[in-house]
C-alpha cells in the first residue's frame, strides 16, 4: 500500500474521531431518546390493552348486576366508559321498562351521550319510543329529526299517528318501507302500520 494511501486512511480516521468527540454526546442522547420512545410506546400499548381488558370485565360484571336486578346496577353503569357505558345503559333501560319503570328508563337514556354516531342514533330511537309511550310526541319527533334508518322512521310514524297526524304517519311508514329489505321481519309490521294509518303498502318489485 502506498504511503499516500496510508496517510489518507489515517486522516479519515482522525476526522471520524474528531466528529465523534464533537457529536458523541448528541448521538448517544438521540439513541437514548429513540430507545425511550420505543419503550414508552410499548408501555403505553400495554397499559391501554390492560385498561381495555379491565373495562370489558367491568362491563360483564355490570350486565350480571342488571340481569339480577342489583340495586347498584345504575352506579356500575355510570362507572363505565365509552361504548361499554352506552351498551350497558341500553341494557339497564330495557330492564327498567320490563319492570314497569318507564320514567327511570327515560332518565337512564337521557344520561347517555355516545361519541359513536351509530350508537347515538340507537339511543335516540330507543328514547323516542319511550317518550312516545309517555305521550311526549313532540319531544320524540325532535329526537328523531335527521335520522333516516327504518327503525327511526317507524318511530316517527308512530309519533305522528299518536298525535293524530295520519298523513305524516303514512309518509314516515312509506319511507321506512323503502329502506327495508323485502325479507326483513320489520317489513310486515311496517305494512300493517301503514294500513292502519290509512295507507296502502306498495307491492315490492320482483326481479324478472
Amino acid at each position: 500500500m502506498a504511503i499516500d494511501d496510508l496517510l489518507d486512511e489515517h486522516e479519515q480516521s482522525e476526522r471520524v474521531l474528531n466528529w465523534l468527540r464533537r457529536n458523541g454526546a448528541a448521538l448517544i442522547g438521540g439513541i437514548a431518546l429513540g430507545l425511550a420512545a420505543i419503550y414508552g410506546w410499548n408501555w403505553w400499548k400495554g397499559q391501554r390493552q390492560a385498561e381495555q381488558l379491565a373495562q370489558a370485565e367491568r362491563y360483564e360484571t355490570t350486565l350480571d348486576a342488571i340481569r339480577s336486578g342489583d340495586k347498584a346496577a345504575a352506579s356500575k353503569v355510570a362507572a363505565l366508559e365509552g361504548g361499554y357505558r352506552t351498551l350497558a345503559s341500553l341494557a339497564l333501560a330495557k330492564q327498567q321498562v320490563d319492570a314497569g319503570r318507564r320514567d327511570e328508563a327515560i332518565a337512564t337514556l337521557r344520561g347517555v351521550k355516545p361519541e359513536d354516531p351509530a350508537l347515538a342514533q340507537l339511543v335516540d330511537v330507543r328514547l323516542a319510543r319511550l317518550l312516545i309511550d309517555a305521550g311526549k310526541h313532540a319531544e320524540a319527533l325532535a329526537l328523531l329529526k335527521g335520522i333516516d334508518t327504518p327503525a327511526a322512521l317507524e318511530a316517527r310514524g308512530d309519533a305522528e299517528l299518536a298525535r293524530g297526524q295520519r298523513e305524516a304517519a303514512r309518509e314516515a311508514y312509506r319511507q321506512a318501507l323503502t329502506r327495508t329489505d323485502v325479507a326483513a321481519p320489520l317489513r310486515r309490521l311496517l305494512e300493517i302500520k301503514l294500513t292502519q294509518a290509512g295507507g296502502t303498502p306498495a307491492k315490492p318489485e320482483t326481479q324478472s
Side-chain angles (χ1 to χ4, degrees):
M1 181 179 291
I3 189 67
D4 291 340
D5 294 335
L6 290 173
L7 289 173
D8 287 344
E9 289 183 5
H10 177 71
E11 183 179 0
Q12 290 172 4
S13 298
E14 286 297 317
R15 287 179 179 176
V16 170
L17 289 173
N18 287 333
W19 184 89
L20 287 173
R21 291 190 191 102
R22 293 194 304 271
N23 301 287
L27 179 63
I28 292 171
I31 293 173
L33 285 174
L35 290 173
I38 293 172
Y39 172 79
W41 171 249
N42 288 332
W43 177 86
W44 182 86
K45 285 198 300 183
Q47 287 293 106
R48 185 61 179 165
Q49 289 172 351
E51 289 174 5
Q52 290 175 340
L53 180 59
Q55 190 77 206
E57 291 176 349
R58 286 196 292 271
Y59 171 69
E60 289 299 328
T61 300
T62 301
L63 288 184
D64 289 339
I66 292 171
R67 295 187 193 104
S68 65
D70 188 343
K71 293 182 179 179
S75 61
K76 291 180 182 294
V77 170
L80 295 173
E81 299 175 1
Y84 286 123
R85 182 176 180 180
T86 301
L87 294 174
S89 295
L90 289 166
L92 177 60
K94 183 180 184 304
Q95 189 270 342
Q96 290 168 333
V97 169
D98 291 344
R101 303 196 305 273
R102 183 194 61 206
D103 291 345
E104 288 183 29
I106 290 175
T108 295
L109 295 183
R110 284 190 194 278
V112 186
K113 305 296 180 185
E115 294 182 3
D116 182 87
L119 282 178
Q121 287 188 357
L122 179 59
V123 169
D124 285 345
V125 172
R126 295 278 181 88
L127 178 54
R129 291 190 181 282
L130 293 178
L131 291 171
I132 293 167
D133 186 63
K136 300 179 180 180
H137 310 130
E139 192 174 348
L141 288 169
L143 268 179
L144 296 168
K145 186 176 181 180
I147 308 178
D148 61 357
T149 62
L153 290 166
E154 179 198 4
R156 189 182 304 170
D158 293 346
E160 294 288 11
L161 188 61
R163 66 177 192 156
Q165 302 297 317
R166 297 175 67 83
E167 180 54 42
R170 289 194 291 269
E171 180 58 26
Y173 293 142
R174 289 192 191 101
Q175 289 183 27
L177 280 167
T178 63
R179 290 168 172 77
T180 304
D181 187 83
V182 174
L186 177 61
R187 188 174 186 87
R188 180 55 183 156
L189 177 60
L190 287 169
E191 290 174 343
I192 293 172
K193 288 187 175 184
L194 176 56
T195 301
Q196 290 176 339
T200 303
K203 292 183 179 180
E205 295 182 3
T206 57
Q207 295 181 345
S208 57

